[in-house]
Amino acid sequence: MRLAAFLAHRLALALVVLVGVSLVVFLCLFLTGDPAALMLPPDATRDEIQRFRAAMGFDDPWVVQYLRWIGRIVLDGDFGTSLRFGRPVGELIRERLPATALLAVVALAWSTAVGFVLGTIAAVRRGGFVDFLVRAIALSGQAIPVFWLGLLLILFVSLRLRWLPTGGYGEARHLVLPAIALGAYYMSAVTRLVRASLIEALDQDYVRTARAKGLSEWRVVVRHALRNALIPVVTVQAMYFASLLGGALVTEIVFAWPGIGRLAVQAIQNRDFPLAQSIVLLAAAVFVVTNLLVDILYVVLNPRIRL
Amino acid sequence: MMRFSRSLLAATALAAALVSIAPATGAELVIGRPASPATFDPGFLKEAATLVDNVFDTLVLRDAEMKLVPGLALSWKALDDTTWEIKLRPGIKFHNGEAFDAEAVKFTFERVLDPAAKSPTISYIRTVAGVDVVDPLTVRIRTNGPDPLLPTRLSRYPAYIVPPAYVKQVGAAEFARRPVGTGPYKVTEFVPDDHVTMVANEAYWRGKATIDKVVWRPIPEATARIAALLSGEVQFIESVPAELVDTLKTSGAADVVDVKNGGLTIYLGLKSAEKPLDDARVRRALSLAIDRKGLTTDILKGKATPTGTQVSPFDAGYKDIPTPAYDPAAAKKLLAEAGYPNGFTIRFQAPRRYISSAEVAQAVVQQWAAIGVKAELEVPEWSVYAQQVPAGKQAPIYMLAWGSTQTLDADAALYAILKSGEPYSTVADKALDALLDESRKTIAPDARAAIFAKIQDHAAETVPLITLYREDSLYGKAKSVTFGGRPDARIPVYDIRVVK
């Protein structure tokens, strides 16, 4: 019963967040002007622009436009029609989602695996040269902007070595470079997080007890300390995944990856209201839902968290 | 700063990568462009018609010398001031076998002109009042008033001829995804934001194209586009940034096609109804204080040409107006005469949109500072700026680019930015308005050219806006590809050759 109340409370909060996000997104685009002039050719007259604006409903008050947009989503599941593509927004997003999901999953998978290994090694060898090296890698990984890393990969791996294509989509070889570029940041973040929480765990009493029992160091680290160091990592991973699905904007542009991120950038550049709003709303929804799931997962994973 | 470090990085790394290109396969061509098309419906484009141009034909074509030549029309002539008779080419079929005839022409125009269709490109053919079918191979186009530009309008979008039966059968949405035209290439695959594949139309009326297959790939990032060219993944790219031209040239692996005057004309718009820009002496002073040659040489690395007129040398109606002199002393004197001996402070907007445009704007600010004018520069985000300008919400001085590449006529270069009341014009000059009105009513080419010459002289004298320079358009190509570049910015794959 307490779980049900907890869930209802979280759901209500999630709803408030979504409404807030939708309002902010809508107003941000609305306040900076409508796309009528951008959609018509430069030699259109003021009358033609005005007629077009009226026909598209751009001259209605913002409340009317907002309610019309939200109303269609809630009542019909209709996200509207993209102004630039002239096609349903839902269809466009569905088309691009697999590419972004694939990139996100692969980037997250390798960055998590490598991050765990590096973080664990660094924690165990705390203060040593290996630790220094890992920390240097992790720091650079988080400091290097993704567009710069992406271009470097293109110039050296694609152009100099000719190992992989500069961009595109469809085969495994197209996936490697964008996944590396996108995952580098998360790999570094995971490394640092695993290192920090493992170091903390290794100082706990139960680890001393485990060692005192005469367990091998490997068993102490993996079975006892690492398991407890997992919780903050899980939270952060979930957040990363949500943010990745929201769009790996820069990576997708550098590598010409046909995903949601590129769609979002185009939508914003073209002031494609229905498309831009829906993508941001979707990204927010993914965040909110992921957060909710993490909260629930916590309760399951960690009996110390009481409702 | 980000822009600087990125191009520096690209330049050094590209220079380091001494590579040779993979040989092109002769019958195939992969083209990299910054953007993917959103639609293939030529009546409803919100972007350049580059791809559509290879799939559809217009009644009138432009040859490599930019002359209007018969396309799907065999001939056209004006019967009177407002009626044109067009004889159509017989025996032409669309990719699906549907016959091309007068009904197709009528259908093509009427679907764009229909107000309910809300076509974004209606203004390009707004002078068309109606299309009458005389017989299957003859149409008459009626215009609202005399329109000297009608044959030009027939040579560009939205006037690409579409197949009526197919469009009605599949509907507009499906047609935009699976286009059928009469052109040299058929679209076989269209994956938005990923690629478009076209194969040569065996039955093309000008003969089958020599390149069998074309793949168009969107590569938004310029450095990635150039890397793709140098690695041989693509053999042709559009939009080479000026700062990477030398890198591409010295790589030895690819060529740069530099079409002088092929790009947009960059100018500074002036809200000439407001003080102090309402005084022609102030406007002339601002113009004289700018070192155009310095801008194009130092900042644009020679990839632009200083000019004194908005009209391009390729346009009908061009007059060779000398580039305004760089004369800060004279500028200072003019300002003093106008009552501003100590200059003034004014807002100035310039988007980061054209070749090094924000850097150019910074240089202009410094040059104006030398005559005492303090310009407060803002670099607005393009999508916001682009709708501020036609709404009249921009700063009193604003950088914009205008082009006539699709029309190649002075009308396209001048009317929209000089005529009072037009969305992109902040000029209010009755003498100019009268001349511009007259130009639209005059059909005889010589008389039109004389009017445009007067307009350009008048603009040089009164400086309703400050014309700076005309950008080159820059392409990159593998050494095996022959393409000279066109002033109208089209990429007709039909005319490209790949040599082994």
Side-chain angles (χ1 to χ4, degrees):
Chain A
M1 202 52 231
R2 259 201 308 198
L3 186 68
F6 166 78
L7 277 182
H9 180 234
R10 286 334 288 270
L11 274 173
L13 271 183
L15 210 63
V16 171
V17 169
L18 283 181
V19 170
V21 168
S22 71
L23 205 59
V24 169
V25 174
F26 181 86
L27 283 178
C28 280
L29 283 167
F30 181 86
L31 288 175
T32 50
D34 71 57
L38 276 186
M39 290 175 69
L40 294 179
D43 74 335
T45 61
R46 280 194 206 286
D47 278 356
E48 281 164 341
I49 295 177
Q50 193 43 49
R51 270 203 299 278
F52 186 79
R53 185 173 281 138
M56 301 297 289
F58 293 150
D59 55 357
D60 293 335
W62 73 266
V63 182
V64 175
Q65 291 193 50
Y66 174 74
L67 290 178
R68 190 162 52 211
W69 173 56
I70 283 295
R72 281 182 194 153
I73 293 176
V74 174
L75 299 177
D76 314 324
D78 174 12
F79 284 85
T81 304
S82 156
L83 302 177
R84 176 163 178 267
F85 290 89
R87 292 171 51 197
V89 166
E91 196 179 301
L92 288 168
I93 293 179
R94 263 201 306 282
E95 233 173 55
R96 306 295 205 288
L97 203 55
T100 297
L102 177 68
L103 183 60
V105 167
V106 173
L108 205 67
W110 86 259
S111 61
T112 307
V114 174
F116 255 94
V117 172
L118 290 183
T120 309
I121 295 174
V124 173
R125 298 258 181 275
R126 172 162 41 145
F129 176 70
V130 178
D131 182 27
F132 170 76
L133 202 67
V134 168
R135 277 192 296 161
I137 293 172
L139 198 66
S140 349
Q142 283 201 293
I144 291 175
V146 68
F147 80 84
W148 192 73
L149 180 63
L151 289 179
L152 273 190
L153 287 171
I154 287 179
L155 292 173
F156 287 96
V157 181
S158 303
L159 192 53
R160 194 82 186 266
L161 303 172
R162 301 295 171 90
W163 286 351
L164 292 162
T166 58
Y169 178 67
E171 296 163 38
R173 62 198 180 99
H174 292 125
L175 181 59
V176 181
L177 294 185
I180 292 178
L182 183 59
Y185 179 89
Y186 300 100
M187 184 271 286
S188 311
V190 172
T191 304
R192 298 178 62 185
L193 201 64
V194 168
R195 179 182 175 277
S197 54
L198 194 55
I199 285 174
E200 200 189 312
L202 284 172
D203 283 342
Q204 300 292 316
D205 290 344
Y206 63 83
V207 170
R208 204 171 43 207
T209 312
R211 283 196 178 122
K213 283 196 296 186
L215 293 180
S216 70
E217 185 63 18
W218 185 81
R219 276 180 78 92
V220 170
V221 170
V222 175
R223 294 285 295 276
H224 293 263
L226 202 54
R227 251 178 109 173
N228 284 290
L230 257 178
I231 288 177
V233 181
V234 168
T235 322
V236 173
Q237 284 298 90
M239 288 300 107
Y240 285 163
F241 188 68
S243 73
L244 282 175
L245 271 188
L249 305 190
V250 178
T251 316
E252 290 189 355
I253 284 179
V254 170
F255 291 97
W257 191 261
I260 298 280
R262 221 166 111 206
L263 194 64
V265 171
Q266 288 176 18
I268 290 165
Q269 281 172 350
N270 295 303
R271 306 200 79 65
D272 193 341
F273 280 11
L275 188 54
Q277 288 165 353
S278 303
I279 294 176
V280 177
L281 195 60
L282 180 84
V286 170
F287 242 100
V288 167
V289 170
T290 318
N291 244 322
L292 199 62
L293 290 179
V294 169
D295 284 345
I296 297 169
L297 201 65
Y298 258 24
V299 182
V300 179
L301 271 186
N302 191 347
R304 276 179 302 184
I305 296 174
R306 293 268 169 258
L307 292 176
Chain B
M1 246 356 256
M2 192 167 101
R3 207 184 143 76
F4 171 72
S5 56
R6 185 159 44 156
S7 52
L8 189 72
L9 157 79
T12 39
L14 278 175
L18 292 171
V19 289
S20 64
I21 48 152
T25 49
E28 263 189 53
L29 185 68
V30 186
I31 300 177
R33 296 182 67 229
S36 165
T39 166
F40 266 96
D41 189 334
F44 296 82
L45 292 176
K46 293 165 196 130
E47 59 203 312
T50 314
L51 272 72
V52 159
D53 190 48
N54 287 282
V55 179
F56 294 88
D57 284 312
T58 42
L59 294 171
V60 179
L61 296 180
R62 267 193 204 280
D63 64 10
E65 277 72 52
M66 299 298 111
K67 280 212 307 282
L68 295 175
V69 295
L72 292 180
L74 283 175
S75 65
W76 56 92
K77 64 169 192 263
L79 296 182
D80 55 52
D81 270 4
T82 57
T83 317
W84 294 73
E85 184 167 273
I86 293 152
K87 293 280 182 200
L88 306 179
R89 197 176 288 275
I92 306 242
K93 291 209 171 351
F94 288 96
H95 299 153
N96 63 345
E98 195 176 329
F100 159 76
D101 59 13
E103 286 298 335
V105 177
K106 185 177 165 68
F107 177 78
T108 294
F109 281 87
E110 285 180 350
R111 72 192 283 264
V112 177
L113 289 170
D114 176 9
K118 294 188 276 192
S119 168
T121 53
I122 189 170
S123 67
Y124 290 128
I125 55 167
R126 77 166 86 98
T127 56
V128 175
V131 178
D132 302 317
V133 173
V134 178
D135 63 54
L137 291 174
T138 311
V139 291
R140 284 197 186 143
I141 296 181
R142 288 172 281 114
T143 58
N144 322 305
D147 182 13
L149 280 175
L150 190 82
T152 298
R153 294 187 200 283
L154 300 182
S155 75
R156 56 160 306 170
Y157 75 88
Y160 289 95
I161 306 300
V162 302
Y166 178 75
V167 174
K168 282 181 205 152
Q169 180 206 329
V170 302
E174 183 66 7
F175 176 61
R177 257 174 286 181
R178 295 198 296 131
V180 163
T182 58
Y185 286 93
K186 305 182 202 184
V187 174
T188 52
E189 262 188 308
F190 172 28
V191 185
D193 279 348
D194 189 44
H195 73 277
V196 174
T197 307
M198 296 180 186
V199 297
N201 172 11
E202 303 276 347
Y204 189 48
W205 58 273
R206 285 193 285 167
K208 186 182 171 244
T210 57
I211 293 171
D212 289 332
K213 187 176 158 194
V214 198
V215 179
W216 304 79
R217 270 181 51 189
I219 310 179
E221 169 57 44
T223 310
R225 208 154 57 236
I226 284 167
L229 175 66
L230 291 178
S231 73
E233 282 171 54
V234 306
Q235 295 86 45
F236 187 90
I237 58 171
E238 201 184 55
S239 298
V240 176
E243 71 263 24
L244 291 179
V245 164
D246 289 339
T247 327
L248 201 55
K249 275 186 184 158
T250 52
S251 73
D255 292 329
V256 174
V257 181
D258 183 347
V259 186
K260 287 275 160 207
N261 291 305
L264 298 166
T265 308
I266 309 294
Y267 71 94
L268 304 180
L270 305 170
K271 286 190 168 168
S272 56
E274 296 173 12
K275 276 193 175 316
L277 300 174
D278 58 341
D279 189 323
R281 289 170 297 190
V282 172
R283 303 196 297 264
R284 251 202 327 273
L286 292 176
S287 176
L288 285 171
I290 297 173
D291 178 9
R292 292 170 175 76
K293 189 81 201 141
L295 299 179
T296 57
T297 314
D298 298 335
I299 302 178
L300 288 107
K301 313 285 174 220
K303 300 298 173 257
T305 315
T307 172
T309 172
Q310 289 294 122
V311 184
S312 145
F314 297 115
D315 293 342
Y318 167 72
K319 181 174 181 188
D320 187 5
I321 304 273
T323 305
Y326 171 47
D327 193 344
K332 231 175 143 42
K333 215 168 125 225
L334 275 170
L335 273 191
E337 278 172 31
Y340 300 95
N342 302 316
F344 50 85
T345 301
I346 195 157
R347 276 176 66 230
F348 171 28
Q349 279 179 312
R352 198 180 282 284
R353 170 81 170 179
Y354 318 112
I355 304 179
S356 307
S357 51
E359 290 77 3
V360 166
Q362 279 159 14
V364 168
V365 167
Q366 285 171 18
Q367 290 167 1
W368 282 342
I371 60 162
V373 172
K374 188 175 177 308
E376 294 168 336
L377 178 64
E378 291 165 31
V379 180
E381 205 273 313
W382 170 253
S383 73
V384 175
Y385 181 66
Q387 55 81 26
Q388 278 179 344
V389 174
K393 290 176 183 160
Q394 73 276 48
I397 304 182
Y398 56 99
M399 181 189 278
L400 211 61
W402 207 255
S404 47
T405 49
Q406 283 281 319
T407 319
L408 296 178
D409 191 280
D411 180 80
L414 299 171
Y415 192 91
I417 54 173
L418 289 180
K419 180 77 167 43
S420 61
E422 289 289 308
Y424 285 88
S425 164
T426 48
V427 180
D429 181 331
K430 289 207 168 60
L432 263 183
D433 285 351
L435 285 167
L436 287 163
D437 280 340
E438 201 186 332
S439 76
R440 286 212 161 169
K441 286 183 198 130
T442 310
I443 291 195
D446 290 348
R448 275 188 92 225
I451 298 168
F452 283 128
K454 269 193 218 165
I455 294 174
Q456 290 168 79
D457 283 331
H458 184 85
E461 183 60 30
T462 61
V463 198
L465 45 81
I466 300 174
T467 304
L468 295 179
Y469 49 79
R470 195 165 298 112
E471 294 182 342
D472 298 1
S473 64
L474 299 162
Y475 305 89
K477 64 173 190 65
K479 291 210 177 287
S480 57
V481 172
T482 61
F483 177 70
R486 288 169 61 106
D488 64 1
R490 294 184 199 205
I491 305 176
V493 181
Y494 190 77
D495 296 332
I496 297 180
R497 299 285 177 273
V498 178
V499 288
K500 291 263 184 184

